[in-house]
Amino acid sequence: MIVHRTPPPFRISPSASPSHSTPKPFLFPPIPSPITFPGLPLRCVSTAAARSDVAVDTFTEKSGYLFELTSSEAGSLREYDVSKISSIYRRRPLTLLRRLFQIGSTFGLWIGLRYLDGLMDRSDQMFEVRAEELRKILVELGPAYVKVAQAVSSRPDLIPPSYLEELSLLQDRIAPFSTDIAFNTIEQELKSPLDELFTEISPEPVAAASLGQVYQARLRRGGKVVAVKVQRPGVQAAISLDILILRFFAGLFRRFRNLNTDLQAVIDEWASSLFREMDYENEAQNGAKFRQLYGGIQDVKVPEMYMEYTTQRVLTMEWIKGQKLSEVQDLYLVEVGVYCSFNQLLEYGFYHADPHPGNLLRTYDGKLAYLDFGMMGEFKQELRDGFIEACLHLVNRDYVSLAKDFITLGLLPPTADKEAVTKALTSVFQNAVAKGVRNISFGDLLGDLGVTMYKFKFRIPSYFSLVIRSLAVLEGIAISSNPKYKVLGSTYPWIAKKVLSDSSPKLRSSLQELLYEDGTFRIDRLESLLTESFRAKTEKAALVKTEDDRNYKVVIKQVLSFTLTEKGTFVRDIILEEFAKGLDALGLVTVDSISSVAASNLPFQGPHSSFLTDEDRKNLRILRRLSSLMSGSISSEIPSMGYRRPQSEGSVALDQLSSVQKIAPLVSAISELPPEAHQQLVRLPGDLAGRLCSRVVARTIRRIFS
C-alpha cells in the first residue's frame, strides 16, 4: 500500500519537467499479472522527498540481532570464507547460541504441533494451516532458509500441493524492508541524489525477495524504464551465520551416517554461489555474459544490464514485463527453455543455477525471459562431454560404459567395483529405459538411483548438485503445466544432434564406439540418433504433429541436409564406408550367383561353394538398412542381427536399391537441397567409388597371398 501524504516541495532538474513548475504523477501502464510488477503511480523524487514509513519486516523483527557486526567484520564478508566467518562468531558466542536456540525452538514447536495433529487425528484439517506456519517460519529465519525453500517449491512431484502453494509465495511475495533505507542505499552506492539519477521512481518496491527488493524507475539519461534492485541490509551477516550452523550439522550428519559424500563441500559450493549472488556487480557481469551467449536464441529474452548504475549492493537492469512461465500453458516456451538449458549446460557450460518460477517469465510478446543472474554455474568441457556420454550410454542400455562415465563425472572413485556397479545400474535403470527415451523421468531416475548411490558410496561432487538442481527445477516447472513432461526426453534430441555434428575428438570417439560394437556397425543406433536429432526443433510448428512427420520426402531431406553439411562430415564418412562395404558384398553376391548359374548348366556339375563370408552377409543387411534410411524409411525397431536366408543374399538389397517407389522421393528431395549441398552431392560418387576400389584391391591381394 502507498501512503499518500503532502510532500514538501520537490527539487526537480530542468530536464524533468520543462514546462511545469510542479511535476505531475507519472503512471506506467498497468500490468495485469501479479508476478509482473503491477503498475504503480510513479513520482519524481529527490533526497528531500518524503518517504513512506514501512513497518519493519518479519525477518528484521525476529532476526535483526544478526546484523550487529562492525563495519570491518561486515566488509570481510564480501566473499565466502569459512575461516573468516568462524573467526567473527567465535568472538560472538552469545549470538551463535541465540541463533541456535531460535532455530531449534522455532522448528521444534512446529514439528511438535504436527505431531500433535497426528495424535489428535486432525492432520488433514490442519494441513494448510501448518503449511502457512512453515512459510512464516522460513521468512522469520531469513534468506538462507528462504533460498532452500525456493528450490524445493519448484518440485510439484515431491511437495504436497498445500505446502507447494505456500512455499511458492516465497519466490516473489516476501515482505519488503523500509523504502527510506533502500533510497538512502541507492544514493550512497551510486553517489548521486535520486533526482539526478532518475526522472521517476516508484515510491514503494514493486517486488521483494529474500536478498533484495525492486523499484521501477526511468533513467534521466536516455529515458529507459529500468528495474533497480537494492540489497536487503545485513543479509551477509545473517546468511553467514546460518551457513556456519548448517555446515556444522552437515559434518555431524555425515559422520553419524558414515556417508561418502562430503556434505560440507556441497554446502560450501552452495554458499559460495549464494555469496556471489549477493554481489550485484558480479550479477550484472553474469547477466551481460548470459545475454551475449543466449540472448540471440529465438524467442529468448535477456534484459540489458546498466553497469554505470550498478554497484555491489545496487543493480540496474532493463525492465521486463510478463507472467510467470508456470502460470501460463505455453508448451512451446517450455521447449525453448529446454533448448536454452541444453546450450547452457552442454554447449557453453555457463548455466543459470537458480531457474525457479519467479525467474522465468513469458513476456507479452511471447518470449521466454530470464531474470536474476546471481547464482550461475560453470560446467567444464570434460564434464560436459562426460554427461553427454552418460546420457548416450543410458539410452542405449550400455551400463558397463555408464559405470565408467560415473567415474569420469566424479560420482564414483576409480577403485569402485565396476562389475558390481554395472549390475546395480542395470537393475535400477532397465525398467525406466525400457519405456523409451521420451518417457524417462529425470526425477524418477534420481529417486531410483538413491539406494545404489548409498550402497556403493557415490560421491556428489560440489558442481553436480547445482547441475542436478537446475535440471530438476526445470522439470518441476514443466510438470506444473504438463504432468507427463520429461526433461530428459526433451533434451535428448539436442544431445543426439550434438553427438552427430560436434567436432570434438572425444565426442567423435564416443560416437565411433557407440556405432561399432565389437567391430559390427550398429545401424539401428545411427537410425535412433538421426530420428531423435530431427526432433531437435524449437519452432512452434514442430510441436504440432502432422501427417508430414513420417513423410518419406521430409525424412530424406532431413538426412541429406545433415549429412551433406560440414557438421555432418563424420557421419557422412561412416555412411559412405558402410555403403562401400555393402556394395562390395553385393558385387560378390552377383559374381557368386553368376557362378552358381553357370555351374548348374555344365554337363558335369560339381558342388558349388560360396565364397561369401559372414561379414559379407552382415554388410548386405546393413546395405539394405542404409538404402531404407536414404529412402526415408527409418526403422524404429532394433533389428535382429541373426542371419536368415529366405531368398538370395543380394536380392533384397537389389530390390531396395532398384525400387522406383523408394527412389522417387529421394530424387525429389535432392532437387530441393541448397546449392552447397548439391556441390557436396556431386563429389559423393567419386568418393564412394574410391572407397569401393580400395576394398576390392585389398581383398584381391589378401586372397592371392592367402
Side-chain angles (χ1 to χ4, degrees):
M1 177 180 292
I2 303 172
V3 180
H4 295 279
R5 59 176 62 178
T6 304
F10 288 99
R11 178 167 57 84
I12 305 298
S13 68
S15 61
S17 182
S19 58
H20 301 282
S21 58
T22 303
K24 296 180 180 179
F26 181 89
L27 184 66
F28 275 97
I31 305 172
S33 175
I35 185 59
T36 58
F37 306 153
L40 294 173
L42 303 187
R43 54 183 173 81
C44 294
V45 297
S46 71
T47 51
R51 295 166 182 169
S52 59
D53 298 323
V54 179
V56 175
D57 62 282
T58 310
F59 168 54
T60 304
E61 179 184 357
K62 301 291 184 180
S63 306
Y65 62 91
L66 296 174
F67 306 159
E68 299 169 1
L69 298 181
T70 65
S71 58
S72 60
E73 289 174 334
S76 67
L77 295 178
R78 177 164 184 169
E79 296 180 354
Y80 178 66
D81 189 323
V82 177
S83 60
K84 288 182 180 179
I85 296 173
S86 301
S87 166
I88 290 173
Y89 289 105
R90 200 177 292 119
R91 298 190 298 270
R92 295 174 175 270
L94 293 180
T95 303
L96 175 60
L97 292 174
R98 184 177 175 182
R99 185 60 168 173
L100 283 170
F101 177 78
Q102 181 188 11
I103 295 171
S105 60
T106 304
F107 278 121
L109 177 61
W110 184 82
I111 293 172
L113 291 173
R114 286 282 293 145
Y115 180 72
L116 286 176
D117 291 340
L119 292 179
M120 299 174 67
D121 198 23
R122 61 175 189 179
S123 296
D124 292 339
Q125 298 93 312
M126 298 298 292
F127 208 74
E128 293 185 4
V129 174
R130 300 302 178 220
E132 182 180 359
E133 289 175 350
L134 178 61
R135 175 180 60 81
K136 292 179 179 178
I137 286 172
L138 294 171
V139 172
E140 290 179 6
L141 292 178
Y145 297 91
V146 170
K147 281 293 179 183
V148 173
Q150 285 176 342
V152 175
S153 69
S154 298
R155 293 309 307 256
D157 52 333
L158 302 178
I159 306 299
S162 296
Y163 281 83
L164 187 70
E165 183 178 351
E166 287 294 332
L167 294 181
S168 65
L169 297 178
L170 296 173
Q171 293 167 351
D172 47 43
R173 298 186 189 177
I174 295 177
F177 59 90
S178 167
T179 290
D180 189 47
I181 294 175
F183 283 0
N184 284 333
T185 300
I186 294 174
E187 292 178 335
Q188 291 171 9
E189 291 289 314
L190 299 183
K191 297 179 173 55
S192 296
L194 287 182
D195 64 332
E196 294 183 8
L197 299 168
F198 313 109
T199 55
E200 296 95 17
I201 189 169
S202 56
E204 298 297 335
V206 291
S210 55
L211 300 183
Q213 59 196 40
V214 177
Y215 294 84
Q216 191 182 47
R218 185 182 295 277
L219 293 175
R220 180 169 293 281
R221 287 188 299 176
K224 297 285 187 179
V225 179
V226 295
V228 182
K229 184 160 72 170
V230 187
Q231 191 171 105
R232 188 178 291 271
V235 71
Q236 287 101 335
I239 287 179
S240 62
L241 179 54
D242 286 335
I243 287 173
L244 193 65
I245 293 171
L246 288 172
R247 200 174 183 278
F248 172 74
F249 283 111
L252 289 180
F253 184 75
R254 183 191 181 192
R255 287 192 292 271
F256 176 73
R257 297 296 301 271
N258 193 28
L259 299 177
N260 197 51
T261 297
D262 189 347
L263 294 180
Q264 289 185 326
V266 172
I267 289 179
D268 286 339
E269 178 72 16
W270 173 71
S272 296
S273 65
L274 195 53
F275 265 71
R276 290 192 295 270
E277 188 176 359
M278 289 186 285
D279 185 346
Y280 287 173
E281 286 180 320
N282 179 69
E283 179 176 350
Q285 292 169 359
N286 288 339
K289 181 177 180 179
F290 195 90
R291 178 183 170 91
Q292 179 185 6
L293 292 176
Y294 314 117
I297 295 176
Q298 181 179 347
D299 291 325
V300 169
K301 174 69 175 178
V302 183
E304 181 181 357
M305 302 291 152
Y306 295 92
M307 303 299 295
E308 63 271 29
Y309 296 96
T310 296
T311 68
Q312 185 187 355
R313 298 175 60 200
V314 174
L315 171 64
T316 305
M317 59 190 289
E318 179 184 356
W319 182 266
I320 301 291
K321 295 186 290 185
Q323 299 169 276
K324 272 188 183 180
L325 183 60
S326 59
E327 293 180 351
V328 294
Q329 299 295 321
D330 195 330
L331 183 58
Y332 166 65
L333 284 189
V334 171
E335 293 293 336
V336 171
V338 168
Y339 175 59
C340 190
S341 294
F342 163 78
N343 276 272
Q344 294 173 47
L345 289 171
L346 302 179
E347 283 288 349
Y348 298 102
F350 183 70
Y351 63 94
H352 198 301
D354 191 24
H356 65 72
N359 292 337
L360 295 172
L361 303 182
R362 181 191 185 279
T363 64
Y364 292 127
D365 58 352
K367 295 184 178 182
L368 176 65
Y370 283 82
L371 304 177
D372 195 352
F373 306 98
M375 189 176 290
M376 309 296 289
E378 295 276 356
F379 209 19
K380 295 180 180 179
Q381 182 65 54
E382 60 269 23
L383 297 176
R384 301 204 297 269
D385 291 344
F387 189 86
I388 291 173
E389 289 176 322
C391 289
L392 283 175
H393 294 146
L394 172 64
V395 170
N396 288 281
R397 308 176 195 184
D398 185 354
Y399 301 114
V400 174
S401 298
L402 186 61
K404 297 177 182 177
D405 295 332
F406 281 6
I407 294 175
T408 301
L409 292 170
L411 294 170
L412 280 173
T415 55
D417 186 344
K418 297 181 184 63
E419 184 176 351
V421 171
T422 299
K423 290 181 180 178
L425 293 177
T426 302
S427 64
V428 167
F429 290 138
Q430 62 182 356
N431 291 332
V433 178
K435 301 175 184 177
V437 63
R438 304 182 193 186
N439 297 309
I440 297 176
S441 167
F442 184 76
D444 290 346
L445 283 182
L446 291 180
D448 293 341
L449 192 58
V451 176
T452 303
M453 294 178 72
Y454 180 78
K455 179 180 179 181
F456 291 96
K457 299 188 181 300
F458 274 49
R459 298 175 296 188
I460 304 297
S462 53
Y463 80 87
F464 200 70
S465 60
L466 289 178
V467 173
I468 293 299
R469 179 173 179 269
S470 179
L471 291 175
V473 166
L474 187 64
E475 183 167 81
I477 293 172
I479 285 173
S480 64
S481 59
N482 180 7
K484 296 183 179 180
Y485 186 84
K486 304 294 185 288
V487 70
L488 185 57
S490 293
T491 306
Y492 187 69
W494 299 105
I495 293 176
K497 187 173 183 178
K498 181 174 178 62
V499 170
L500 289 171
S501 60
D502 198 278
S503 59
S504 162
K506 184 172 178 62
L507 287 186
R508 285 195 170 182
S509 175
S510 299
L511 179 60
Q512 186 85 16
E513 292 175 4
L514 182 71
L515 296 181
Y516 289 91
E517 186 176 61
D518 298 328
T520 300
F521 180 58
R522 293 292 302 271
I523 187 172
D524 55 300
R525 291 182 174 179
L526 177 61
E527 287 176 335
S528 174
L529 285 171
L530 286 170
T531 302
E532 291 298 324
S533 69
F534 296 154
R535 291 201 303 123
K537 301 176 183 178
T538 58
E539 292 85 355
K540 294 182 180 179
L543 301 179
V544 181
K545 292 187 177 181
T546 66
E547 295 181 358
D548 287 340
D549 288 347
R550 297 298 301 166
N551 183 285
Y552 285 159
K553 181 179 174 182
V554 173
V555 176
I556 294 170
K557 190 174 180 181
Q558 288 174 329
V559 173
L560 292 177
S561 296
F562 169 68
T563 55
L564 294 177
T565 62
E566 183 178 352
K567 288 186 175 181
T569 300
F570 189 69
V571 174
R572 182 173 69 244
D573 288 342
I574 290 176
I575 292 176
L576 283 175
E577 186 64 28
E578 295 303 323
F579 251 119
K581 291 179 182 178
L583 291 175
D584 181 31
L586 184 61
L588 291 176
V589 168
T590 304
V591 173
D592 189 53
S593 299
I594 294 174
S595 300
S596 177
V597 171
S600 65
N601 292 326
L602 293 175
F604 303 101
Q605 297 183 17
H608 175 73
S609 59
S610 173
F611 44 80
L612 285 177
T613 64
D614 289 340
E615 182 182 356
D616 293 329
R617 295 185 176 96
K618 287 180 181 179
N619 289 337
L620 277 175
R621 291 195 294 275
I622 292 173
L623 177 63
R624 180 188 179 190
R625 292 287 293 274
L626 283 173
S627 300
S628 297
L629 175 65
M630 300 311 296
S631 63
S633 179
I634 296 181
S635 172
S636 59
E637 299 179 356
I638 298 177
S640 170
M641 297 307 292
Y643 174 66
R644 293 178 296 178
R645 188 174 177 172
Q647 50 185 315
S648 66
E649 287 92 340
S651 60
V652 174
L654 283 170
D655 290 343
Q656 190 75 41
L657 288 171
S658 60
S659 174
V660 176
Q661 183 181 4
K662 297 291 185 180
I663 292 177
L666 177 62
V667 175
S668 177
I670 289 175
S671 65
E672 297 180 9
L673 293 175
E676 54 271 20
H678 283 156
Q679 294 175 5
Q680 184 62 50
L681 190 63
V682 170
R683 291 193 287 267
L684 288 186
D687 192 355
L688 181 60
R691 294 170 188 266
L692 182 59
C693 289
S694 297
R695 285 191 60 82
V696 172
V697 170
R699 186 185 64 255
T700 302
I701 293 175
R702 282 198 308 270
R703 293 191 175 182
I704 290 175
F705 292 99
S706 61

